[in-house]
Amino acid sequence: MSTSAATQASDLAAAIAKGERAALAEALNLLDDRRTAARQQSAALLAHLQSEYSNTCSHLIGITGPPGVGKSTLGAALIAVWRQRGLRVGILAVDPSSPFSGGALLGDRVRMQTNGEDDGVFVRSLSSRGQFGGLSAEVWPMCIVMLAGFDIVLIETVGVGQREVDVSRLCDTTCYVAQPGSGDSVQFLKAGILEVPHVLVVNKKDMGAVAQRTLSELGNALNSEHPDGQWQVPVLATSAMNGNGIEALADVMAHHHQSLQERKQLARRRRSYQAYWIHKRLEEEFGGFGIDKLGGEKALLEQLQSQNMDLFKQYDSLRQQCCNGEIDKHESDND
Amino acid sequence: MQRDRPWLMRTYSGHSSAKASNELYRTNLSRGQTGLSVAFDLPTQTGYDSDHPLARGEVGKVGVPISHIGDMEALFDQIPLGEMNTSMTINATAPWLLALYVAVAERQGVDPGQLQGTTQNDVLKEYLSRGTYIFPPEPSVRLTTDLIAYTVKNIPQWNPTNICSYHLQEAGATPTQELAYALSTATAILDAVQASGQIPADRFQQVVGRISFFVNAGIRFVEETCKLRAFSRMWDEVARNRYGVEDPKQRRFRYGVQVNSLGLTESQPENNVQRIVLEMLAVTLSKNARARAIQLPAWNEALGLPRPWDQQWALRMQQVLALETDLLEYGDLLDGSPVVEAKVLELIAGAQQEMENVAAHGGMVACIDNGYVKRELVQSHTRRMRNIESGDLKIVGVNCYQETATSPLTGGEESGIMKVDELAEREQIAALQAFRATRQQGAVDDALELLRAAANDGSNIMPSSIQCARAGVTTGEWSEVLRGVFGEYRAPTGVDFVASDRSESKALEQVRERVRTTSDELGRPLRLLIGKPGLDGHSNGAEQIAVKGRDSGFEIVYEGIRLTPSQIARAAQEEGVHLIGLSVLSGSHLELVEDIRNELEAIGCKDIPLVIGGIIPQDDARQLLDRGLKAVFTPKDVDMNIIMNTMVTIIRQVNGLEPLA
């Protein structure tokens, strides 16, 4: 990496940490860019952010659940509460892309109903980019960038099967929003199809008895500790429409964050999730061939989780190994 | 020979200022027009005073600005309200404009109880089309019902609501959908009036009898004729079975018409004349389902604002049909026709099915918020656009027979359209500020307090609104109090669930290939922000471009209507888009584009290319291109593949990529 690129990355990282909107927008565009030069700059940027601006005070929250349960309105209501508490909020809203054209209508922004004039809120929409089972690989680095500039980073995505697994391997706190009256969530939870969230919410409390029944069914299905340990999963009822239960939900999320910090779990978890995403991103960029070159998936994940070396620098150097490999291969082709 | 009395003939009009519109109305009345149809400008319709920042560029554009009782008085100067039948196209602020009308009647010495006319007052369709809603659906319905209850008791000859299927067709509704959604809206409103308890049970039939409709008629005039017959029959049944109305007169499907604007073309606009005439035939042919009031669009509506002469021509079309032809000399021409009967029954069956779907989604009010109806409409309109593109739906002069001799109609000095005086906005603002300075602030404050109390405690909104009108409250102040109590709303866009285009047409495949290639070269998917700045709520174009963009492989950010220039600029930055496409149909494009460019520059995003679509006269288009816009699209540009290709080309140029073959 050239010195100027390094300076550029450090300047950009500093501007992001100061909360400069233009810098954040530029960084997100960069992380989205799949060209080799951009990938190198991205890695440099991530390395700077990790070594100088990583901060466990900021809170990465995922909201997931089936379509139509009101995740976006719930998100909007939460944003209002957080803003009242003086917290700055970054949002990554993920919508599905069309299998026919690859295009997407990114509709969460409108459903979020933010006023668009508040410097303490920043929304970036993303499509799933053909990752029908999960989040596209851009989401992870984008979260890292946003965590440097905001107190809370909220990821909102439709959670069906695998996609919701991805969210739970990304966030400090995962919140699952269930549809009142639908038994699906309960069945999924019992069957273990649904990863156990840290917070369960039944939105549309205004649906009265129906919501109440779903609430108690979920409570029964979940009558246990979270697999992470030392966390009893709360089941809450909210009504995003009239603002009921939103303060309580924000409190519970903050409490979970605090509990992770007290148990010194936060850094460890982020590290293990980041290993998952580094692997995912490398696999996406270089394919199975690249992963094999790095010793295979299992060894790679172990290596990523065990070493104390800075993860982003490691990502950078793993990329270099893969790139050099490609150059070698290219040269040998020429022979 | 006994002739039937002709329908009410109106021209939907109003522009610049109350004074200029008053002159226009008096001219139109002297030319044989028999009723007035008032067009209000967008700030008045969405509850802003003329000097509000959001009103910039919109004052007096699509209608007359009415900010207070002085404006309303000037609008009806020398027009005795006791003898007039006035239709007001007003929805979210309907109670307010009616309050002003009542207060002006009082000043003219006319007993408000004698007033005749119509307030459109159908806010539900504003969430689906047209877009001049302010508050969330529930308080909006409450205001609607308050106006109905008040007029039934106090202004018995007033038509308090005109349930509109008109705008649904403009938004893409099929005849079946038009029937289903209009009737579902009517029952939702009547149910709400009933539930409000403001009308004693024994007077409720009267309420049902006061409901009127505002219907559209498109070019498929046989089907449209049948649609109106179906409407009459279905409404009769709803009134009898759902509300127990015994008097057949109270069950009559009373409707006014504005014929289709959706099908009017910018190319060879003279052809719109025969379209309009045929469409008028659809609503007059059946004596048993004939329109009670008709207003016709002008032939050049797709080009810009019509001039007085264009409106006169539209009025003359009605007069020729009513006075010269023998149409009004016969009984119902279509009774007993098996072909017509079969079509009517088919439409009724389809409409009943769709009404059940609405009910299954929680009824019309719930369907606004959950987006069901909007999605169905966008889907229908998308189907229409795809059919025009493929040539399955023929539009003469647009996708066939495009060649034309030079038209003498559009070549004149004014390029065939009306230009609103640029001074009008400034004069209106100056007059408004002078008005505010002269009124009794104490009386204004007291009246607003009454209004706030009524909004909060649920009592009828009309008496305190009339008190506000008398005291000199402004449109913006009245609305601001209610915004404070009810909150504001952003309706679902309906574009999210539209089925993908699977036609695999060659043109579409080519566009996709170009989008893919360019995405690869730029390293990330092409992202496009579609912005609707200003108060204009006509969102068809924006929605269709959004869907087409998705089908072409773009990632689309579309937030719906009524965004400020700053919101658009900030969204473009946050979302990292490659291009911004604006849609403006209200005529305020020059001002809005200037504001958006300034906002973009202020946040360091002036390099994001801008294109615009809308009803944009040629002179303005040239100006916009001179000011750095990369492309201007107008209704002439019906092939959206070409629009998509143009956008890709612009993105390539701006990013220094070689042109694609």
Side-chain angles (χ1 to χ4, degrees), chain B residues 25-132:
Chain B
Y25 294 167
R26 284 190 286 129
T27 312
N28 287 350
L29 290 168
S30 72
R31 285 181 182 154
Q33 186 174 303
T34 50
L36 288 176
S37 172
V38 182
F40 296 100
D41 72 357
L42 287 170
T44 307
Q45 293 188 55
T46 51
Y48 295 106
D49 283 337
S50 298
D51 57 352
H52 191 280
L54 273 171
R56 183 169 131 79
E58 308 274 16
V59 177
K61 280 272 162 58
V62 301
V64 58
I66 299 293
S67 294
H68 50 78
I69 188 168
D71 287 340
M72 201 66 155
E73 213 173 7
L75 186 66
F76 294 103
D77 182 37
Q78 298 173 59
I79 299 174
L81 295 191
E83 297 160 31
M84 196 40 53
N85 188 317
T86 307
S87 167
M88 294 190 259
T89 300
I90 197 73
N91 296 281
T93 53
W96 173 239
L97 273 297
L98 179 63
L100 288 170
Y101 196 75
V102 167
V104 169
E106 290 171 351
R107 284 197 182 176
Q108 286 192 359
V110 173
D111 169 14
Q114 300 304 310
L115 292 174
Q116 285 190 54
T118 306
T119 32
Q120 192 163 80
N121 195 30
D122 169 16
V123 76
L124 291 184
K125 61 92 172 58
E126 295 293 328
Y127 299 103
L128 303 170
S129 173
R130 204 166 176 276
T132 70

Side-chain angles (χ1 to χ4, degrees), chain A residues 227-241:
Chain A
D228 289 356
Q230 298 177 27
W231 177 254
Q232 206 68 36
V233 179
V235 186
L236 278 80
T238 57
S239 170
M241 229 164 60

Side-chain angles (χ1 to χ4, degrees), chain B residues 151 227 238 585:
Chain B
T151 54
K227 176 186 81 188
V238 167
L585 285 89

Side-chain angles (χ1 to χ4, degrees), chain B residues 104 306 420 566:
Chain B
V104 169
V420 173
S566 149

